[in-house]
Amino acid sequence: MKQPQERRVALVTGASRGIGRAIALGLATAGFDLALNDIARQRTALDQVCVEAAAHGSKTLALAADVSRRDEVQAMVTDVVTAFGRIDALINNAGILIPSPVVSLAEVDWDAVMDVNAKGTFLVTQAVLPHMRACKYGRIVNIASIGGKHGAPEQAHYSASKAAVMGFTRVLAQEVGVNGITANCLCPGIIVTEMGRTNLADPETRAQWLRVTALRRLGQPEDVAGPAVFLASDAAAFVTGQTLNVCGGIVLS
Ligand code: NAP
C-alpha cells in the first residue's frame, strides 16, 4: 500500500473528552498531526488532550470554536490550514443530547440539538471541503449514532439530528468522490462518556442496555477510536458512503 510522504493532518471536533478525545489519541498513535477543536468553555481540557497527543509525537493545535457558528468555523479552518497547510481527515464528532419527551420538547432544545449535531457537521464539512478538493484527497468521518436508526424515548430530536447526519453523509459521498474524498458515518451505541451516562443513570435502563448488547458490555470511548482511525486512513480508500455501527451488537445489519 502506498504510504503518504508526509504525516497526515486531522481535524477532530468535540475533542476535549469522551469519544472525540479517544479518536484524537487514536489518530496520534497512528501518526497523524492534529487540530483539535472544542467549544471555548472546554479549553483547559482541550489543551490537556493536546499535551497527551504530543506525547505520541503529534504536532497539535487547539482550536476553540462553536461548530454551529459559521463565522467561528471559518476562522477555525483558516487557522488549521495556516498552521498545517492542509486537512487530510475531518472527524465531525461534536454533539449534544438534551433529553425530553416530544410532548414537552422545547423549540429551543430542538434547535440547539439540530444546530450542533446536524448543522455543525454541515458547516465544518463545507469549510474544509475546498482544502481537501485542492489536494484531491480527504477522509470525512461523521459521528452519528444508533439513535439515528433505532432511537430511544426522550431523544426524538437527537435521533432526527443523527438521521440527518447519515443522509448528509450519503449524498456528500456521491458529490465528492470525484475529488478523491471519502465520507462515512460511525454509529456508536452506548458509550461510557459524559453524554453516555445520560442513558445510564437509571440502573434498570443500564441493565436493559446490557441485555440487548450482544457483547454484554457497555462501550468505552476507545472502542470508537479504532473504526474512526481506519476510516480516516489510506487503508479505507475504497470505502465511502457507508454507515458502520460500533455498538457491541445492539443494532445488527
Ligand atoms: P461528550 O462527552 O458530551 O463530548 C462532546 C464534546 O463536544 C464536549 O466537550 C462538548 O462540550 C463538545 N461540544 C458541544 N457542543 C459543541 C459545539 N457547538 N462546538 C464544539 N464542541 C461542542 O460526548 P461523547 O459521548 O463523547 O459524544 C461524542 C459524539 O458521539 C457525539 O456526536 C455524540 O452524539 C456521539 N455519540 C455518543 C454516544 C454515547 O453513548 N456517548 C452514542 C452515540 C453517539 P460541552 O459538554 O461543554 O457542551
Side-chain angles (χ1 to χ4, degrees):
M1 187 178 302
K2 182 174 174 288
Q3 295 300 316
Q5 298 304 304
E6 300 174 72
R7 291 170 64 87
R8 294 289 190 199
V9 177
L11 168 60
V12 185
T13 67
S16 75
R17 68 174 194 228
I19 292 170
R21 172 182 171 275
I23 291 172
L25 296 179
L27 290 167
T29 305
F32 280 74
D33 289 331
L34 293 172
L36 299 182
N37 154 272
D38 212 293
I39 204 154
R41 58 181 172 263
Q42 299 295 348
R43 183 60 197 242
T44 304
L46 186 64
D47 286 342
Q48 180 55 36
V49 179
C50 285
V51 170
E52 293 176 73
H56 293 284
S58 298
K59 285 192 206 117
T60 63
L61 178 67
L63 302 131
D66 180 337
V67 298
S68 69
R69 296 281 307 270
R70 180 185 290 277
D71 54 345
E72 295 187 27
V73 166
Q74 287 292 350
M76 170 177 77
V77 169
T78 298
D79 286 350
V80 179
V81 174
T82 301
F84 292 109
R86 62 185 202 283
I87 300 172
D88 299 305
L90 166 63
I91 318 294
N92 279 308
N93 167 79
I96 60 172
L97 170 66
I98 308 172
S100 172
V102 173
V103 70
S104 55
L105 174 56
E107 187 177 346
V108 67
D109 289 343
W110 170 277
D111 287 345
V113 168
M114 295 301 286
D115 277 358
V116 177
N117 298 1
K119 190 170 81 173
T121 297
F122 153 62
L123 288 176
V124 182
T125 300
Q126 190 181 54
V128 165
L129 273 181
H131 305 288
M132 288 184 168
R133 290 174 68 155
C135 294
K136 296 184 166 45
Y137 182 94
R139 299 277 182 270
I140 298 172
V141 182
N142 294 330
I143 308 301
S145 171
I146 61 164
K149 296 179 168 180
H150 185 274
E154 303 194 358
Q155 298 185 12
H157 45 332
Y158 181 81
S159 179
S161 74
K162 294 301 189 178
V165 168
M166 285 185 255
F168 174 75
T169 305
R170 283 191 288 269
V171 175
L172 178 67
Q174 295 173 57
E175 290 186 1
V176 300
V178 70
N179 305 119
I181 302 167
T182 66
N184 293 286
C185 276
L186 292 178
C187 285
I190 304 297
I191 310 295
V192 182
T193 66
E194 294 293 314
M195 181 189 291
R197 281 185 255 277
T198 309
N199 292 308
L200 300 169
D202 170 37
E204 178 47 37
T205 307
R206 184 187 182 98
Q208 173 64 17
W209 281 119
L210 282 172
R211 270 196 295 277
V212 299
T213 304
L215 292 176
R216 295 291 192 276
R217 69 172 178 84
L218 301 170
Q220 297 300 319
E222 292 70 24
D223 288 316
V224 186
V229 171
F230 165 65
L231 290 174
S233 75
D234 289 348
F238 206 53
V239 181
T240 197
Q242 304 302 309
T243 297
L244 176 63
N245 301 320
V246 187
C247 64
I250 298 174
V251 175
L252 304 168
S253 63

